[in-house]
Amino acid sequence: MAEEAWLANNHVPGVLSGKQPLVASMDGYVTVGGEDEAAEYVEENGKPWQASPGAIAWLVEATRKWKPRRRRSRVDV
């Protein structure tokens, strides 16, 4: 399950951990799999991750060696 989520957007662990900045959509659209989609995810779902001790560190470590899938499409948010 974690690998499927990571393949959908490999920016989420970096944004959750603070190693990657939040990149907001400037035009109301997000790039599927992009940094702006990761920012949307973290803004909507980051609090439970932060409230779970060790969860973000686990995610970062679990995904550290996985290779990203490249696909970019813009969708209305």
Side-chain angles (χ1 to χ4, degrees), residues 18-70:
K19 294 178 181 179
Q20 199 171 331
L22 286 171
V23 176
S25 170
M26 301 303 284
D27 59 5
Y29 293 87
V30 295
T31 304
V32 174
E35 294 171 316
D36 51 353
E37 182 189 47
E40 288 281 326
Y41 174 83
V42 170
E43 287 178 4
E44 294 178 14
N45 302 288
K47 289 188 189 293
W49 281 96
Q50 294 165 347
S52 301
I56 295 172
W58 169 84
L59 181 65
V60 169
E61 181 59 28
T63 61
R64 188 169 56 90
K65 294 182 181 178
W66 293 344
K67 297 201 183 306
R69 177 188 304 174
R70 297 284 177 217

Side-chain angles (χ1 to χ4, degrees), residues 2-25:
E3 187 172 8
E4 290 175 15
W6 186 85
L7 287 171
N9 192 309
N10 62 296
H11 298 285
V12 171
V15 175
L16 273 171
S17 68
K19 294 178 181 179
Q20 199 171 331
L22 286 171
V23 176
S25 170

